[in-house]
C-alpha cells in the first residue's frame, strides 16, 4: 500500500466518523449549529418585547437561507460525485434537514428550499449512477 492509498483510507475513515475534514466538516458544523439553534431562538422570541419578536424570527430565517446557500456553494465546488471527498454526497443530502426548523417557524421558503435541495442532490446522484460515472 502506498502513501496516497493510506492517506485516502484515513481520510475516508475520518469523514465517516466524527466531524470529518474539509468540506465534510464545514457542512456537518453548519447542520449541527443551525438546526438546534431554533430552541434558543424560540426562547429569545419569548423574552424580547413584542416589537422585536419578528426581527429575531427574520434573523433566524436569514441563518437558514445562509446555511442552504453554503450547501449550494459546496455543491458547486464539487459538482460531480467522483470528484467529491468520501461521504460528501451524504452530507450534501443532509441539507434537507433544514426542513424541520423551517416547519417549526412556518417559514415556507425554507421548507420548500430544503426539500428541493434534498431532491436535487438525490437526482443528480441517480443521474450519475445511471450514466455509470460512480
Amino acid at each position: 500500500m502506498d502513501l496516497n492509498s493510506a492517506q485516502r483510507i484515513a481520510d475516508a475513515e475520518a469523514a465517516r466518523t466524527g466531524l470529518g475534514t474539509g468540506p465534510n466538516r464545514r457542512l456537518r458544523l453548519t447542520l449541527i449549529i443551525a438546526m438546534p439553534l431554533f430552541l434558543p431562538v424560540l426562547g429569545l422570541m419569548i423574552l424580547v418585547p413584542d416589537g422585536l419578536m419578528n426581527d429575531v424570527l427574520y434573523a433566524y430565517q436569514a441563518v437558514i437561507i445562509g446555511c442552504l446557500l453554503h450547501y449550494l456553494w459546496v455543491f458547486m465546488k464539487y459538482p460531480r460525485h467522483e470528484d467529491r471527498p468520501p461521504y460528501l454526497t451524504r452530507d450534501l443530502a443532509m441539507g434537507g434537514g433544514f426542513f424541520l426548523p423551517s416547519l417549526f417557524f412556518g417559514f415556507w421558503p425554507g421548507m420548500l428550499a430544503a426539500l428541493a435541495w434534498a431532491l436535487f442532490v438525490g437526482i443528480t446522484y441517480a443521474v450519475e449512477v445511471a450514466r455509470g460515472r460512480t
Side-chain angles (χ1 to χ4, degrees):
M1 180 184 309
D2 64 350
L3 187 59
N4 285 339
S5 297
Q7 182 64 36
R8 184 143 175 91
I9 290 170
D11 289 344
E13 186 61 23
R16 188 179 67 79
T17 60
L19 288 177
T21 58
N24 294 78
R25 175 181 287 250
R26 287 192 307 268
L27 289 181
R28 290 175 189 175
L29 285 175
T30 299
L31 192 69
I32 289 170
I33 292 170
M35 275 193 57
L37 188 64
F38 79 92
L39 291 171
V41 168
L42 179 64
L44 191 60
M45 287 175 62
I46 292 171
L47 294 176
V48 298
D50 291 340
L52 296 176
M53 194 178 334
N54 284 338
D55 295 336
V56 172
L57 181 62
Y58 295 148
Y60 184 66
Q61 290 172 351
V63 166
I64 290 176
I65 294 299
C67 290
L68 287 169
L69 288 174
H70 179 247
Y71 272 72
L72 180 65
W73 177 74
V74 171
F75 182 84
M76 290 173 61
K77 194 170 180 185
Y78 301 99
R80 298 183 59 192
H81 176 74
E82 61 190 26
D83 299 334
R84 293 180 190 151
Y87 297 100
L88 187 62
T89 302
R90 180 191 67 181
D91 293 339
L92 284 168
M94 285 182 176
F98 288 107
F99 175 79
L100 291 176
S102 298
L103 178 67
F104 186 80
F105 286 116
F107 181 50
W108 64 268
M111 287 185 269
L112 293 176
L115 287 177
W117 176 254
L119 282 172
F120 173 71
V121 171
I123 289 170
T124 56
Y125 178 72
V127 166
E128 286 196 17
V129 167
R131 289 184 178 173
R133 290 189 176 168
T134 60

